[in-house]
Amino acid sequence: MLIETLRKNHDLTDEEFCTLLETDRYDEELKAAADAVRREYYGTDVYLRGLIEFTNYCKNDCLYCGIRRSNQNVERYRLTEGEIFACCEEGYALGYRTFVLQGGEDPYFTDERICAIVSEIHTRYPDCAITLSIGEKSRESYQAYFDAGAARYLLRHETADPAHYAMLHPTEMSCENRKRCLYDLKAIGYQVGAGLMVGSPYQTTQNLVTDIRFMQELKPDMIGIGPFLSHKDTPFRDKPNGKLQLVLRLLGILRLVFPYVLLPSTTALGTVHPLGREFGLQWGANVVMPNLSPTAVRENYMLYDNKICTGDESAQCRGCLERRVSSVGYQIVTDRGDVKK
Ligand code: 5AD
Ligand code: FES
């Protein structure tokens, strides 16, 4: 009954959402409904996003993140423009039609440099969507990147509850500014991705409901979720990892609340369980984001411990994912993968 209501109304009461999140009673029904709705909107198509982790320098100090500025044990790197373009060239040949430039908040990459890179990629690959994931900026900066040719922006809100936000971030960061960024991005005309870590320290079920409520207001085009995973060189080194089943349940719920949304089956999900990404696809996810970064730098972009796709074996993530996706009955398509609203 609960699942039918959610599927029909795309909404439940706070109490009902809590029940769904906290018990395994509805899991089978939720998974089946989420898969049915993803097939209604997207068939069995899975979209590819080629992830280019172009800098691991970061001026921020988020308590959960392995590349936070206080971590002295990271070997810092920046890709040159030439290296970034080479990633795109390789990706294009492999069928990628979306490139995600992701990095820490690195002051070296001024707006001028970002715009130059974006417009060069835009000129070389006019049929590709350029996505940025470079953190909190001013509205003017976001506008400049957009004018240079960036069409999408990923900025997970991390948690929509200000008190919880303050437990995960240093005092100079705020939930309010994070949300301001997301609304600015929307107003400019970006396709926007929000998202959060499931099972982050101090997170309650009510926090997850608050996240759903925030996203109902924001109406993001994409929602990135994965389990929180501890990193040995952060203040959260002893915190427990997020649970696979809770991530899957939330994926299923999100597919029913936002039927049209682009939902990645994330690397963190594949890290918490060897078949995590396959399970994610079966619970409503329809996007995978293989790593396109040069293998030599991948081990330095460790947001959490034991991240997959960082060793030599990962040179061919594309082929690996192809097999994984088809093993559960879906298929990767060569497409920009725009949101279907
Ligand atoms: N565990 C899981 N996800 C993490 N991220 C950062 N650190 C961790 C961690 N320790 C996620 C954040 C960020 C995205 C790029 O990676 O949600 O927005
Ligand atoms: Fe990267 Fe399998 S997807 S190695």
Side-chain angles (χ1 to χ4, degrees), residues 241-282:
N241 288 342
K243 294 265 184 299
L244 171 71
Q245 198 57 26
L246 187 55
V247 180
L248 297 177
R249 235 174 249 157
L250 185 58
L251 277 174
I253 292 171
L254 292 172
R255 173 57 66 206
L256 298 181
V257 177
F258 308 96
Y260 59 83
V261 85
L262 295 159
L263 267 185
S265 199
T266 55
T267 304
L269 196 51
T271 300
V272 81
H273 188 287
L275 295 176
R277 287 170 297 178
E278 288 85 332
F279 296 149
L281 294 171
Q282 295 174 303

Side-chain angles (χ1 to χ4, degrees), residues 89-103:
E89 191 176 336
E90 188 189 327
Y92 193 87
L94 289 166
Y96 293 86
R97 293 297 176 268
T98 306
F99 301 117
V100 182
L101 295 177
Q102 185 174 90

Side-chain angles (χ1 to χ4, degrees), residues 125-169:
Y125 308 100
D127 55 334
C128 290
I130 304 171
T131 305
L132 290 176
S133 179
I134 54 175
E136 298 180 15
K137 308 280 177 179
S138 66
R139 174 152 183 173
E140 292 69 37
S141 297
Y142 288 146
Q143 184 69 55
Y145 312 150
F146 188 81
D147 295 341
R152 304 179 183 158
Y153 204 101
L154 307 182
L155 182 70
R156 291 188 179 180
H157 63 283
E158 312 298 357
T159 172
D161 180 285
H164 185 221
Y165 192 94
M167 297 179 204
L168 305 179
H169 299 93

Side-chain angles (χ1 to χ4, degrees), residues 27-275:
D27 281 355
E28 280 315 304
E29 209 190 330
L30 176 58
K31 177 183 176 186
D35 188 52
V37 169
R38 80 87 85 201
R39 282 171 196 263
E40 230 172 78
Y41 280 73
Y42 290 99
T44 53
D45 289 358
V46 172
Y47 300 130
L48 278 182
R49 312 294 191 218
L51 189 62
I52 304 170
E53 298 156 337
F54 69 99
T55 172
N56 71 351
Y57 282 85
C58 192
K59 68 179 171 68
N60 286 336
D61 218 18
C62 305
L63 278 75
Y64 46 83
C65 185
I67 63 168
R68 65 202 302 268
R69 68 156 186 264
S70 299
N71 185 3
Q72 306 286 327
N73 298 329
V74 191
E75 193 182 317
R76 304 283 170 173
Y77 73 88
R78 289 183 181 108
L79 299 187
T80 64
E81 287 192 9
E83 287 170 324
I84 295 172
F85 301 147
C87 291
C88 296
E89 191 176 336
E90 188 189 327
Y92 193 87
L94 289 166
Y96 293 86
R97 293 297 176 268
T98 306
F99 301 117
V100 182
L101 295 177
Q102 185 174 90
E105 292 193 19
D106 179 356
Y108 170 84
F109 285 100
T110 56
D111 289 354
E112 231 180 315
R113 288 191 168 113
I114 293 292
C115 288
I117 294 165
V118 167
S119 72
E120 181 64 28
I121 298 174
H122 191 55
T123 306
R124 290 195 194 186
Y125 308 100
D127 55 334
C128 290
I130 304 171
T131 305
L132 290 176
S133 179
I134 54 175
E136 298 180 15
K137 308 280 177 179
S138 66
R139 174 152 183 173
E140 292 69 37
S141 297
Y142 288 146
Q143 184 69 55
Y145 312 150
F146 188 81
D147 295 341
R152 304 179 183 158
Y153 204 101
L154 307 182
L155 182 70
R156 291 188 179 180
H157 63 283
E158 312 298 357
T159 172
D161 180 285
H164 185 221
Y165 192 94
M167 297 179 204
L168 305 179
H169 299 93
T171 47
E172 65 269 18
M173 291 176 75
S174 75
C175 194
E176 192 193 349
N177 192 51
R178 197 79 168 183
K179 291 177 180 173
R180 188 273 304 160
C181 288
L182 285 162
Y183 284 111
D184 279 352
L185 290 162
K186 271 242 136 178
I188 290 168
Y190 281 96
Q191 291 182 37
V192 171
L196 60 125
M197 292 173 290
V198 175
S200 61
Y202 317 109
Q203 183 180 71
T204 62
T205 309
Q206 181 54 49
N207 288 151
L208 291 174
V209 176
T210 304
D211 288 323
I212 295 171
R213 298 288 175 230
F214 166 66
M215 292 189 288
Q216 284 175 321
E217 191 188 291
L218 178 70
K219 299 184 178 62
D221 303 283
M222 178 148 166
I223 303 175
I225 69 164
F228 160 77
L229 299 168
S230 67
H231 186 293
K232 60 183 183 346
D233 298 319
T234 66
F236 289 163
R237 63 181 63 83
D238 296 322
K239 301 291 184 201
N241 288 342
K243 294 265 184 299
L244 171 71
Q245 198 57 26
L246 187 55
V247 180
L248 297 177
R249 235 174 249 157
L250 185 58
L251 277 174
I253 292 171
L254 292 172
R255 173 57 66 206
L256 298 181
V257 177
F258 308 96
Y260 59 83
V261 85
L262 295 159
L263 267 185
S265 199
T266 55
T267 304
L269 196 51
T271 300
V272 81
H273 188 287
L275 295 176

